[in-house]
Short mmCIF file of all heavy atoms in Angstrom, two decimals:
data_model
loop_
_atom_site.label_atom_id
_atom_site.label_comp_id
_atom_site.label_asym_id
_atom_site.label_seq_id
_atom_site.Cartn_x
_atom_site.Cartn_y
_atom_site.Cartn_z
N GLY A 98 270.11 71.70 -18.10
CA GLY A 98 269.80 71.87 -19.53
C GLY A 98 269.69 73.34 -19.89
O GLY A 98 270.26 73.79 -20.89
N ASN A 99 268.98 74.12 -19.08
CA ASN A 99 268.85 75.57 -19.33
C ASN A 99 270.21 76.26 -19.24
O ASN A 99 270.54 77.12 -20.05
CB ASN A 99 267.92 76.21 -18.28
CG ASN A 99 266.47 76.11 -18.69
OD1 ASN A 99 266.12 75.32 -19.56
ND2 ASN A 99 265.61 76.88 -18.04
N ALA A 100 270.99 75.86 -18.23
CA ALA A 100 272.28 76.52 -18.01
C ALA A 100 273.24 76.25 -19.17
O ALA A 100 273.92 77.16 -19.64
CB ALA A 100 272.90 76.06 -16.68
N ILE A 101 273.29 74.99 -19.64
CA ILE A 101 274.26 74.73 -20.71
C ILE A 101 273.84 75.40 -22.01
O ILE A 101 274.67 75.79 -22.81
CB ILE A 101 274.56 73.22 -20.94
CG1 ILE A 101 273.33 72.45 -21.35
CG2 ILE A 101 275.24 72.59 -19.76
CD1 ILE A 101 273.67 71.04 -21.84
N THR A 102 272.53 75.58 -22.19
CA THR A 102 272.07 76.31 -23.38
C THR A 102 272.55 77.76 -23.31
O THR A 102 273.04 78.32 -24.28
CB THR A 102 270.53 76.25 -23.48
OG1 THR A 102 270.15 74.89 -23.55
CG2 THR A 102 270.02 76.97 -24.71
N LYS A 103 272.41 78.36 -22.13
CA LYS A 103 272.86 79.76 -21.97
C LYS A 103 274.37 79.86 -22.18
O LYS A 103 274.85 80.79 -22.84
CB LYS A 103 272.50 80.26 -20.56
CG LYS A 103 271.00 80.48 -20.35
CD LYS A 103 270.71 80.78 -18.89
CE LYS A 103 269.23 80.76 -18.61
NZ LYS A 103 268.48 81.83 -19.26
N LEU A 104 275.11 78.93 -21.60
CA LEU A 104 276.57 78.96 -21.76
C LEU A 104 276.95 78.75 -23.22
O LEU A 104 277.82 79.43 -23.75
CB LEU A 104 277.22 77.86 -20.90
CG LEU A 104 277.23 78.11 -19.39
CD1 LEU A 104 277.55 76.84 -18.63
CD2 LEU A 104 278.28 79.17 -19.04
N TYR A 105 276.27 77.81 -23.87
CA TYR A 105 276.56 77.48 -25.27
C TYR A 105 276.31 78.71 -26.16
O TYR A 105 277.09 79.00 -27.06
CB TYR A 105 275.67 76.30 -25.69
CG TYR A 105 275.85 75.90 -27.13
CD1 TYR A 105 276.97 75.21 -27.55
CD2 TYR A 105 274.87 76.20 -28.08
CE1 TYR A 105 277.13 74.83 -28.87
CE2 TYR A 105 275.02 75.83 -29.40
CZ TYR A 105 276.15 75.15 -29.78
OH TYR A 105 276.30 74.79 -31.09
N LYS A 106 275.22 79.41 -25.86
CA LYS A 106 274.90 80.59 -26.67
C LYS A 106 275.92 81.71 -26.48
O LYS A 106 276.04 82.59 -27.31
CB LYS A 106 273.47 81.07 -26.37
CG LYS A 106 272.44 80.13 -27.00
CD LYS A 106 271.03 80.57 -26.78
CE LYS A 106 270.09 79.64 -27.55
NZ LYS A 106 268.68 79.90 -27.24
N LYS A 107 276.62 81.68 -25.35
CA LYS A 107 277.68 82.67 -25.12
C LYS A 107 279.03 82.19 -25.65
O LYS A 107 280.04 82.85 -25.50
CB LYS A 107 277.82 82.95 -23.62
CG LYS A 107 276.66 83.74 -23.06
CD LYS A 107 276.85 83.99 -21.58
CE LYS A 107 275.67 84.80 -21.08
NZ LYS A 107 275.80 85.21 -19.72
N GLY A 108 279.02 80.99 -26.22
CA GLY A 108 280.26 80.46 -26.81
C GLY A 108 281.11 79.63 -25.87
O GLY A 108 282.25 79.31 -26.19
N PHE A 109 280.57 79.26 -24.70
CA PHE A 109 281.34 78.44 -23.75
C PHE A 109 280.88 76.99 -23.84
O PHE A 109 279.69 76.69 -23.68
CB PHE A 109 281.16 78.92 -22.31
CG PHE A 109 281.57 80.35 -22.10
CD1 PHE A 109 280.67 81.28 -21.60
CD2 PHE A 109 282.86 80.76 -22.41
CE1 PHE A 109 281.05 82.59 -21.40
CE2 PHE A 109 283.24 82.08 -22.21
CZ PHE A 109 282.34 82.99 -21.71
N THR A 110 281.82 76.11 -24.10
CA THR A 110 281.48 74.69 -24.20
C THR A 110 282.11 73.94 -23.04
O THR A 110 283.33 73.87 -22.92
CB THR A 110 282.00 74.11 -25.53
OG1 THR A 110 281.49 74.94 -26.58
CG2 THR A 110 281.50 72.70 -25.74
N PHE A 111 281.28 73.40 -22.20
CA PHE A 111 281.75 72.65 -21.03
C PHE A 111 281.47 71.16 -21.21
O PHE A 111 280.63 70.77 -22.02
CB PHE A 111 281.00 73.12 -19.77
CG PHE A 111 281.51 74.42 -19.22
CD1 PHE A 111 281.01 75.63 -19.67
CD2 PHE A 111 282.48 74.42 -18.23
CE1 PHE A 111 281.47 76.83 -19.16
CE2 PHE A 111 282.95 75.62 -17.71
CZ PHE A 111 282.44 76.82 -18.17
N ALA A 112 282.17 70.37 -20.42
CA ALA A 112 281.80 68.96 -20.27
C ALA A 112 281.22 68.82 -18.86
O ALA A 112 281.71 69.47 -17.93
CB ALA A 112 283.02 68.07 -20.43
N LEU A 113 280.17 68.04 -18.74
CA LEU A 113 279.48 67.95 -17.46
C LEU A 113 279.29 66.51 -17.02
O LEU A 113 279.24 65.60 -17.85
CB LEU A 113 278.07 68.55 -17.56
CG LEU A 113 277.92 70.04 -17.54
CD1 LEU A 113 278.07 70.60 -18.93
CD2 LEU A 113 276.56 70.42 -16.99
N THR A 114 279.15 66.32 -15.71
CA THR A 114 278.71 65.01 -15.21
C THR A 114 277.19 65.06 -15.07
O THR A 114 276.62 66.14 -14.91
CB THR A 114 279.29 64.70 -13.81
OG1 THR A 114 278.84 65.72 -12.90
CG2 THR A 114 280.79 64.67 -13.82
N PRO A 115 276.54 63.91 -15.13
CA PRO A 115 275.10 63.93 -14.87
C PRO A 115 274.86 64.41 -13.43
O PRO A 115 275.69 64.13 -12.56
CB PRO A 115 274.68 62.46 -15.00
CG PRO A 115 275.82 61.76 -15.63
CD PRO A 115 277.05 62.56 -15.35
N PRO A 116 273.77 65.13 -13.17
CA PRO A 116 273.51 65.57 -11.79
C PRO A 116 273.36 64.37 -10.85
O PRO A 116 272.77 63.36 -11.21
CB PRO A 116 272.17 66.30 -11.92
CG PRO A 116 272.03 66.64 -13.37
CD PRO A 116 272.74 65.56 -14.11
N THR A 117 273.96 64.49 -9.66
CA THR A 117 273.86 63.43 -8.66
C THR A 117 273.14 63.97 -7.44
O THR A 117 273.47 65.06 -6.97
CB THR A 117 275.28 62.97 -8.24
OG1 THR A 117 276.00 62.61 -9.41
CG2 THR A 117 275.24 61.80 -7.29
N VAL A 118 272.16 63.22 -6.94
CA VAL A 118 271.40 63.66 -5.77
C VAL A 118 271.95 62.96 -4.53
O VAL A 118 272.11 61.74 -4.52
CB VAL A 118 269.89 63.34 -5.93
CG1 VAL A 118 269.12 63.77 -4.69
CG2 VAL A 118 269.34 64.01 -7.18
N ILE A 119 272.27 63.73 -3.50
CA ILE A 119 272.76 63.16 -2.24
C ILE A 119 271.84 63.62 -1.12
O ILE A 119 271.50 64.80 -1.04
CB ILE A 119 274.20 63.64 -1.93
CG1 ILE A 119 275.16 63.18 -3.04
CG2 ILE A 119 274.67 63.11 -0.59
CD1 ILE A 119 276.57 63.67 -2.84
N THR A 120 271.44 62.68 -0.25
CA THR A 120 270.64 63.08 0.91
C THR A 120 271.28 62.51 2.16
O THR A 120 271.99 61.50 2.11
CB THR A 120 269.19 62.53 0.81
OG1 THR A 120 269.25 61.11 0.71
CG2 THR A 120 268.46 63.09 -0.39
N GLY A 121 271.06 63.16 3.28
CA GLY A 121 271.61 62.67 4.54
C GLY A 121 271.77 63.81 5.51
O GLY A 121 271.61 64.97 5.15
N ASN A 122 272.08 63.45 6.77
CA ASN A 122 272.15 64.48 7.80
C ASN A 122 273.57 64.88 8.16
O ASN A 122 273.80 65.92 8.75
CB ASN A 122 271.46 64.00 9.08
CG ASN A 122 269.99 63.80 8.85
OD1 ASN A 122 269.34 64.60 8.17
ND2 ASN A 122 269.46 62.71 9.37
N ASP A 123 274.52 64.06 7.79
CA ASP A 123 275.85 64.29 8.33
C ASP A 123 276.90 64.13 7.23
O ASP A 123 277.63 63.16 7.19
CB ASP A 123 276.10 63.29 9.46
CG ASP A 123 277.39 63.61 10.17
OD1 ASP A 123 277.83 64.76 10.08
OD2 ASP A 123 277.96 62.70 10.79
N TYR A 124 276.93 65.07 6.33
CA TYR A 124 277.97 65.02 5.31
C TYR A 124 278.37 66.43 4.91
O TYR A 124 277.62 67.39 5.09
CB TYR A 124 277.50 64.24 4.06
CG TYR A 124 276.37 64.90 3.29
CD1 TYR A 124 276.66 65.72 2.21
CD2 TYR A 124 275.06 64.74 3.67
CE1 TYR A 124 275.64 66.34 1.51
CE2 TYR A 124 274.03 65.34 2.97
CZ TYR A 124 274.33 66.13 1.90
OH TYR A 124 273.33 66.75 1.21
N THR A 125 279.58 66.55 4.41
CA THR A 125 280.03 67.82 3.86
C THR A 125 280.60 67.55 2.47
O THR A 125 281.05 66.43 2.19
CB THR A 125 281.12 68.48 4.71
OG1 THR A 125 282.21 67.59 4.79
CG2 THR A 125 280.62 68.86 6.07
N ILE A 126 280.53 68.54 1.63
CA ILE A 126 281.09 68.39 0.29
C ILE A 126 282.16 69.46 0.14
O ILE A 126 281.89 70.64 0.29
CB ILE A 126 280.00 68.52 -0.78
CG1 ILE A 126 279.00 67.38 -0.61
CG2 ILE A 126 280.60 68.49 -2.18
CD1 ILE A 126 277.72 67.58 -1.35
N ASP A 127 283.35 69.02 -0.15
CA ASP A 127 284.48 69.95 -0.18
C ASP A 127 285.06 70.02 -1.58
O ASP A 127 285.15 69.02 -2.27
CB ASP A 127 285.54 69.40 0.79
CG ASP A 127 286.66 70.41 0.99
OD1 ASP A 127 286.50 71.55 0.56
OD2 ASP A 127 287.67 70.02 1.57
N THR A 128 285.40 71.20 -1.99
CA THR A 128 286.16 71.36 -3.23
C THR A 128 287.44 72.07 -2.85
O THR A 128 287.46 73.29 -2.71
CB THR A 128 285.37 72.19 -4.26
OG1 THR A 128 284.09 71.61 -4.40
CG2 THR A 128 286.06 72.19 -5.61
N PRO A 129 288.52 71.31 -2.64
CA PRO A 129 289.73 71.93 -2.11
C PRO A 129 290.25 73.03 -3.02
O PRO A 129 290.19 72.92 -4.23
CB PRO A 129 290.72 70.76 -2.08
CG PRO A 129 289.89 69.53 -2.16
CD PRO A 129 288.67 69.90 -2.91
N GLN A 130 290.74 74.06 -2.41
CA GLN A 130 291.43 75.17 -3.09
C GLN A 130 290.56 75.95 -4.06
O GLN A 130 291.06 76.64 -4.92
CB GLN A 130 292.68 74.66 -3.80
CG GLN A 130 293.68 74.07 -2.83
CD GLN A 130 294.82 73.39 -3.55
OE1 GLN A 130 294.72 73.04 -4.70
NE2 GLN A 130 295.91 73.21 -2.84
N ILE A 131 289.26 75.79 -3.98
CA ILE A 131 288.40 76.62 -4.83
C ILE A 131 287.38 77.30 -3.92
O ILE A 131 286.66 76.64 -3.18
CB ILE A 131 287.63 75.81 -5.90
CG1 ILE A 131 288.58 74.91 -6.70
CG2 ILE A 131 286.88 76.75 -6.84
CD1 ILE A 131 287.90 74.10 -7.78
N GLU A 132 287.37 78.62 -3.98
CA GLU A 132 286.38 79.35 -3.19
C GLU A 132 284.99 79.07 -3.74
O GLU A 132 284.81 78.95 -4.95
CB GLU A 132 286.64 80.85 -3.31
CG GLU A 132 287.40 81.39 -2.13
CD GLU A 132 287.59 82.88 -2.23
OE1 GLU A 132 287.27 83.47 -3.28
OE2 GLU A 132 288.05 83.46 -1.25
N THR A 133 284.03 78.99 -2.85
CA THR A 133 282.66 78.69 -3.27
C THR A 133 281.80 79.94 -3.13
O THR A 133 281.70 80.51 -2.05
CB THR A 133 282.08 77.55 -2.40
OG1 THR A 133 282.93 76.42 -2.52
CG2 THR A 133 280.68 77.18 -2.83
N LEU A 134 281.18 80.33 -4.24
CA LEU A 134 280.24 81.44 -4.19
C LEU A 134 278.85 80.87 -3.91
O LEU A 134 278.42 79.94 -4.59
CB LEU A 134 280.23 82.20 -5.52
CG LEU A 134 279.22 83.34 -5.61
CD1 LEU A 134 279.68 84.53 -4.76
CD2 LEU A 134 279.01 83.79 -7.04
N VAL A 135 278.19 81.42 -2.92
CA VAL A 135 276.88 80.90 -2.55
C VAL A 135 275.80 81.93 -2.91
O VAL A 135 275.89 83.09 -2.52
CB VAL A 135 276.81 80.58 -1.04
CG1 VAL A 135 275.47 79.94 -0.69
CG2 VAL A 135 277.94 79.64 -0.65
N VAL A 136 274.81 81.48 -3.67
CA VAL A 136 273.70 82.35 -4.05
C VAL A 136 272.42 81.77 -3.42
O VAL A 136 271.91 80.75 -3.87
CB VAL A 136 273.52 82.39 -5.59
CG1 VAL A 136 272.43 83.37 -5.98
CG2 VAL A 136 274.82 82.72 -6.29
N PRO A 137 271.92 82.40 -2.37
CA PRO A 137 270.69 81.88 -1.74
C PRO A 137 269.46 82.25 -2.59
O PRO A 137 269.40 83.34 -3.16
CB PRO A 137 270.63 82.60 -0.39
CG PRO A 137 271.97 83.24 -0.21
CD PRO A 137 272.49 83.50 -1.59
N VAL A 138 268.55 81.31 -2.69
CA VAL A 138 267.28 81.56 -3.38
C VAL A 138 266.18 81.35 -2.35
O VAL A 138 266.11 80.30 -1.72
CB VAL A 138 267.07 80.57 -4.57
CG1 VAL A 138 265.79 80.91 -5.31
CG2 VAL A 138 268.27 80.60 -5.51
N ILE A 139 265.34 82.37 -2.19
CA ILE A 139 264.30 82.31 -1.15
C ILE A 139 262.94 82.37 -1.81
O ILE A 139 262.69 83.21 -2.68
CB ILE A 139 264.48 83.48 -0.15
CG1 ILE A 139 265.87 83.37 0.49
CG2 ILE A 139 263.39 83.47 0.93
CD1 ILE A 139 266.42 84.66 1.01
N PHE A 140 262.06 81.45 -1.42
CA PHE A 140 260.68 81.50 -1.92
C PHE A 140 259.75 81.12 -0.77
O PHE A 140 259.75 80.00 -0.31
CB PHE A 140 260.48 80.62 -3.16
CG PHE A 140 261.14 79.27 -3.12
CD1 PHE A 140 260.38 78.13 -2.91
CD2 PHE A 140 262.50 79.12 -3.33
CE1 PHE A 140 260.97 76.88 -2.89
CE2 PHE A 140 263.11 77.88 -3.29
CZ PHE A 140 262.33 76.75 -3.07
N GLY A 141 258.97 82.12 -0.33
CA GLY A 141 258.12 81.91 0.84
C GLY A 141 258.98 81.58 2.04
O GLY A 141 259.96 82.27 2.34
N GLU A 142 258.65 80.45 2.69
CA GLU A 142 259.43 80.05 3.87
C GLU A 142 260.56 79.10 3.49
O GLU A 142 261.27 78.58 4.34
CB GLU A 142 258.51 79.39 4.89
CG GLU A 142 257.54 80.38 5.51
CD GLU A 142 256.58 79.71 6.47
OE1 GLU A 142 256.64 78.48 6.63
OE2 GLU A 142 255.76 80.43 7.04
N ASP A 143 260.67 78.83 2.22
CA ASP A 143 261.67 77.86 1.76
C ASP A 143 262.91 78.55 1.23
O ASP A 143 262.85 79.69 0.76
CB ASP A 143 261.07 76.97 0.66
CG ASP A 143 259.98 76.09 1.23
OD1 ASP A 143 260.31 75.18 2.00
OD2 ASP A 143 258.80 76.35 0.92
N LYS A 144 264.01 77.79 1.27
CA LYS A 144 265.24 78.34 0.72
C LYS A 144 266.06 77.23 0.07
O LYS A 144 265.88 76.03 0.36
CB LYS A 144 266.07 79.03 1.79
CG LYS A 144 266.61 78.08 2.83
CD LYS A 144 267.54 78.80 3.77
CE LYS A 144 267.90 77.86 4.93
NZ LYS A 144 268.74 78.47 5.91
N LEU A 145 266.92 77.67 -0.81
CA LEU A 145 267.82 76.77 -1.52
C LEU A 145 269.09 77.57 -1.77
O LEU A 145 269.02 78.79 -1.92
CB LEU A 145 267.13 76.38 -2.82
CG LEU A 145 267.81 75.59 -3.92
CD1 LEU A 145 266.74 74.83 -4.71
CD2 LEU A 145 268.58 76.48 -4.87
N GLU A 146 270.23 76.92 -1.74
CA GLU A 146 271.48 77.64 -2.02
C GLU A 146 272.14 77.07 -3.26
O GLU A 146 272.26 75.85 -3.41
CB GLU A 146 272.44 77.52 -0.84
CG GLU A 146 272.10 78.45 0.30
CD GLU A 146 273.09 78.35 1.45
OE1 GLU A 146 274.07 77.58 1.36
OE2 GLU A 146 272.86 79.04 2.46
#
Side-chain angles (χ1 to χ4, degrees):
Chain A
N99 274 16
I101 62 168
T102 301
K103 289 172 190 293
L104 287 165
Y105 178 74
K106 286 182 175 172
K107 289 180 179 186
F109 302 123
T110 307
F111 282 87
L113 282 87
T114 60
T117 305
V118 178
I119 299 177
T120 58
N122 295 320
D123 188 22
Y124 66 95
T125 59
I126 296 166
D127 189 11
T128 308
Q130 298 172 340
I131 309 181
E132 261 183 352
T133 302
L134 177 73
V135 184
V136 184
V138 183
I139 300 155
F140 42 105
E142 291 177 358
D143 293 290
K144 66 174 172 182
L145 172 154
E146 281 181 2

